[in-house]
Amino acid sequence: MTKAFISQTYPRLTVYSEENYRGRSRIYTGNLGIRNTDNILDGIESLRFFSTSSNATLVLFSRTRFRGSFRVLRGNRSIRDLDDYISGNDVESIISTNQRLTLAQIRRIRDSGELPPGYRLI
C-alpha cells in the first residue's frame, strides 16, 4: 500500500470572475503579487484568502503595479465584492503573503513597484 502525501502551500488566494464567489475561479498559492487584476479571468470581482499563519497579509491596491491607495488585511478573509473596496476605488493589484508585511515595507513596494525576494509576480 502506498501512502499519498498532499502538500499545500499557504497562503491560498482564490479569485473569482464574478461577485459573491461565482463564475470562473483560479487558485494561487505562496507569496505573490498580481500586478493587474484585469489580466486574471478578465477581472477579479471577489476573493477568498486563507492561511494557517496569523501573520498572513493581503494587500489590495487601487492602481495596477502596486500603486495608489492600499488596504491591508491580516488573517483569513472572504471579500464578496471588490468594487469600490478602497476608498471608493476598485482593487487593481494584490499582494498575498504568509509574511507580516509592515506599512513601511508596503510603501517601499508601492514606491518601487518591486516585490521582495521570494515572491512570484503574476
Side-chain angles (χ1 to χ4, degrees):
M1 179 168 21
T2 338
K3 287 187 179 179
F5 292 95
I6 298 172
S7 172
Q8 292 189 334
T9 306
Y10 295 103
R12 187 170 61 238
L13 177 67
T14 308
V15 296
Y16 300 86
S17 63
E18 295 178 26
E19 297 169 2
N20 298 312
Y21 324 112
R22 297 173 106 73
R24 294 178 299 142
S25 66
R26 191 167 286 163
I27 298 172
Y28 296 98
T29 58
N31 297 329
L32 60 89
I34 297 175
R35 184 185 346 218
N36 185 343
T37 57
D38 285 342
N39 292 340
I40 309 294
L41 303 172
D42 295 324
I44 297 171
E45 295 297 327
S46 57
L47 64 79
R48 292 185 194 276
F49 177 72
F50 177 79
S51 177
T52 55
S53 169
S54 60
N55 287 324
T57 305
L58 182 67
V59 187
L60 308 173
F61 293 87
S62 64
R63 294 182 49 209
T64 60
R65 301 178 163 277
F66 320 114
R67 306 270 192 214
S69 303
F70 61 87
R71 189 162 175 184
V72 180
L73 305 169
R74 310 259 188 222
N76 299 331
R77 295 296 171 126
S78 292
I79 304 171
R80 66 179 58 251
D81 186 359
L82 292 174
D83 287 344
D84 306 327
Y85 198 75
I86 308 166
S87 308
N89 295 300
D90 294 352
V91 173
E92 299 292 340
S93 54
I94 298 171
I95 295 173
S96 169
T97 179
N98 246 359
Q99 298 173 324
R100 183 174 191 84
L101 289 179
T102 65
L103 289 178
Q105 288 172 306
I106 294 167
R107 287 187 185 107
R108 259 195 311 279
I109 293 168
R110 182 179 63 183
D111 294 344
S112 69
E114 299 287 319
L115 293 171
Y119 282 65
R120 280 186 305 137
L121 185 62
I122 296 174

